[in-house]
Amino acid sequence: MVIEFGVSTLLYERASEFSVRDDEARRLAEHLVISRRLIEERTPEQRPTMAADLTTDRYELHWNGTADVPVFDPALDQMRRQIVEWEPSLRSGDLRLRLISPGQSSKVIGAIRLRDGSWLHFRTLDAVAKLDFAFERIVLALVPAIALMVIGGLMIRRTLRPLRQLAEAADRIGYNPVVTVPEDGPGEVRRLVEAFNRMQARISALIDARTQALAAVGHDLRTPLARLRLRTEAIASADTRAAIGRDVAEMEAMIASLLAFLGGDADPEAPTSIDLAVLCATLVDDAIDRGRDATYVGPDHFDLSVRRLAVKRALTNLVENALHYGQRVTVALETDAEQAIVRVTDDGPGIPEHEMAHVLEPFVRLDPARGRDTIGFGLGLPIVVQAIEAEGGTLTLINRPSGGLEACVVLPIKRSNGRHKI
């Protein structure tokens, strides 16, 4: 809009200046025709007086048969053509025009030849209109354009507000709770918002139905598995009983991991204050009780507000993962004023660098790198990522220079949810 107004004003000023110059040429042509005719009718003695009488506040005329004829100025060729176009009779008068001071003044002097060969000289007393673009007027013309831009911007901002809310709601799809976007704005935007709200409701209903179905399937599968475990006790062969028991345990672990990843165990958990240091130490003690080499390094106590079951499941998965692929496991807790960092390290084979991001995806199992005796669907690390991201934290996997893998969990400290202590 600013460019359009600016260019329009420049073109208008330019057209106006050309119009003024054209008008100036027309007036000069009329004055020269009349003056030339009247002076030609006078005797040479009367001509100087007549020229003085024909002088006006715009043009000064004088006649002198012996005066020097001004040299023609090509810069005024356009003005000369305009004059003779208005008064073709002046074409025979060898009209000549020249600027008094080129580059400094726009006043014009000239001469036109009479029929007896003498010359009638004239001078413009006012400056002939020149191309002055009057930047003050241009700036003034831009004021309404800028005002219209501001008003239009505010109106567009208000019109697009539902679209911003729609974008924010779209970014929250898949997370609870579902937020209905207000149906506001122009008709097309309202229809878009209405369609989005209906789509969001359908997606939410689909997720709820899936979660309920998985929870029901998980519950129904656990019952026959429990019966199968009881019936294995009647098997005489200890080896066969142990093998079937391992298969049943693996199936239970697979069902548990699947339901945990898909959220089928229970409703979303509310954050509560837990002692993160005690939780880490307990996981290490459990590993020691099973005869594994595990160590805890960190403070004795550290209170943090998190979703207890989800965080416990995530840290348990990391410790079990480290125990499965390594012989020695260390759980270290570090804290500062802003965050708590849990590092779970092992001395296993690690993960190839090009697979670091891939291993965090659901249902991915890097058997060639980590062995083939893996229990579950490959949901251990994705469950950790899901639980930690729900707390606003991050999970990072790092291959240690000395060998093994380090899983680094960073949890932000939410001061508004309670106090922490070390």
Side-chain angles (χ1 to χ4, degrees):
M1 288 180 66
V2 168
I3 293 173
E4 191 275 334
F5 266 79
V7 172
S8 298
T9 306
L10 283 172
L11 293 177
Y12 175 77
E13 290 288 328
R14 186 178 180 88
S16 298
E17 296 296 346
F18 275 121
S19 176
V20 170
R21 172 167 287 186
D22 184 70
D23 188 58
E24 179 70 24
R26 180 179 59 80
R27 286 196 297 267
L28 180 58
E30 293 175 349
H31 195 78
L32 287 177
V33 166
I34 296 173
S35 300
R36 181 187 182 189
R37 181 176 301 171
L38 291 175
I39 289 181
E40 284 180 337
E41 293 175 352
R42 300 294 186 274
T43 63
E45 292 78 12
Q46 296 174 329
R47 287 177 179 180
T49 304
M50 177 56 66
D53 293 339
L54 292 172
T55 297
T56 66
D57 56 350
R58 296 184 63 86
Y59 307 110
E60 177 185 344
L61 279 77
H62 65 275
W63 178 88
N64 191 330
T66 60
D68 294 333
V69 179
V71 180
F72 176 72
D73 189 349
L76 296 179
D77 184 59
Q78 176 65 25
M79 187 175 183
R80 180 182 181 279
R81 284 199 298 271
Q82 288 176 313
I83 293 174
V84 296
E85 284 176 2
W86 277 104
E87 296 293 343
S89 62
L90 298 177
R91 195 182 303 274
S92 61
D94 191 16
L95 177 65
R96 301 188 183 188
L97 302 174
R98 182 171 64 85
L99 291 173
I100 294 178
S101 300
Q104 298 180 1
S105 172
S106 60
K107 293 183 179 181
V108 176
I109 61 174
I112 186 170
R113 187 173 57 193
L114 305 182
R115 282 195 292 266
D116 62 357
S118 62
W119 291 83
L120 173 63
H121 297 262
F122 59 89
R123 174 196 302 263
T124 61
L125 300 179
D126 293 329
V128 176
K130 58 181 179 178
L131 298 180
D132 181 7
F133 290 143
F135 287 101
E136 295 83 1
R137 290 196 294 275
I138 295 175
V139 172
L140 255 163
L142 291 179
V143 170
I146 295 173
L148 285 174
M149 286 179 61
V150 172
I151 295 172
L154 293 175
M155 294 177 65
I156 292 175
R157 181 179 178 85
R158 181 174 180 179
T159 302
L160 296 181
R161 184 183 305 162
L163 292 180
R164 290 195 298 272
Q165 295 173 339
L166 184 64
E168 294 171 358
D171 192 51
R172 290 194 299 266
I173 287 183
Y175 300 95
N176 287 323
V178 174
V179 178
T180 301
V181 182
E183 297 175 359
D184 192 11
E188 293 79 3
V189 176
R190 284 200 305 273
R191 286 192 289 274
L192 176 62
V193 173
E194 291 171 1
F196 175 83
N197 286 333
R198 290 194 298 269
M199 178 195 69
Q200 187 175 217
R202 290 194 299 268
I203 292 174
S204 179
L206 180 63
I207 293 174
D208 291 342
R210 183 205 64 175
T211 301
Q212 293 172 5
L214 287 172
V217 170
H219 180 271
D220 292 344
L221 286 176
R222 282 172 177 153
T223 300
L225 285 175
R227 290 199 302 265
L228 185 59
R229 183 181 291 279
L230 289 174
R231 289 171 181 171
T232 57
E233 300 299 326
I235 298 176
S237 173
D239 293 340
T240 304
R241 185 169 61 250
I244 294 176
R246 287 193 298 271
D247 290 340
V248 172
E250 182 174 352
M251 293 176 66
E252 289 178 337
M254 293 168 68
I255 293 172
S257 64
L258 183 62
L259 293 177
F261 178 73
L262 297 176
D265 276 341
D267 293 333
E269 184 184 2
T272 58
S273 180
I274 68 168
D275 194 324
L276 187 61
V278 171
L279 174 60
C280 293
T282 301
L283 296 176
V284 170
D285 291 340
D286 290 343
I288 294 174
D289 292 341
R290 287 180 282 160
R292 305 303 300 270
D293 186 357
T295 306
Y296 169 70
V297 179
D300 294 331
H301 298 281
F302 184 82
D303 292 341
L304 188 64
S305 179
V306 292
R307 295 168 179 82
R308 184 180 65 84
L309 293 177
V311 171
K312 181 180 179 181
R313 183 184 297 116
L315 296 181
T316 300
N317 284 0
L318 291 178
V319 172
E320 292 298 325
N321 195 63
L323 290 172
H324 186 78
Y325 299 108
Q327 299 298 320
R328 188 174 186 280
V329 175
T330 300
V331 180
L333 174 61
E334 305 171 7
T335 62
D336 58 30
E338 301 296 332
Q339 60 190 11
I341 303 174
V342 180
R343 303 180 189 274
V344 180
T345 58
D346 62 55
D347 57 354
I351 299 176
E353 292 294 337
H354 66 278
E355 297 285 1
M356 281 294 186
H358 189 51
V359 77
L360 299 178
E361 298 176 2
F363 307 106
V364 172
R365 299 170 63 180
L366 302 180
D367 290 338
R370 305 284 291 207
R372 288 190 172 273
D373 56 342
T374 305
I375 298 175
F377 286 114
L379 293 174
L381 290 177
I383 289 174
V384 177
V385 172
Q386 189 180 66
I388 299 305
E389 287 184 349
E391 303 296 333
T394 58
L395 168 67
T396 306
L397 302 180
I398 305 169
N399 284 318
R400 302 168 63 201
S402 59
L405 183 71
E406 175 184 300
C408 178
V409 174
V410 178
L411 294 170
I413 295 176
K414 304 170 185 177
R415 299 179 180 275
S416 59
N417 293 334
R419 296 177 299 174
H420 63 272
K421 60 181 179 180
I422 299 178

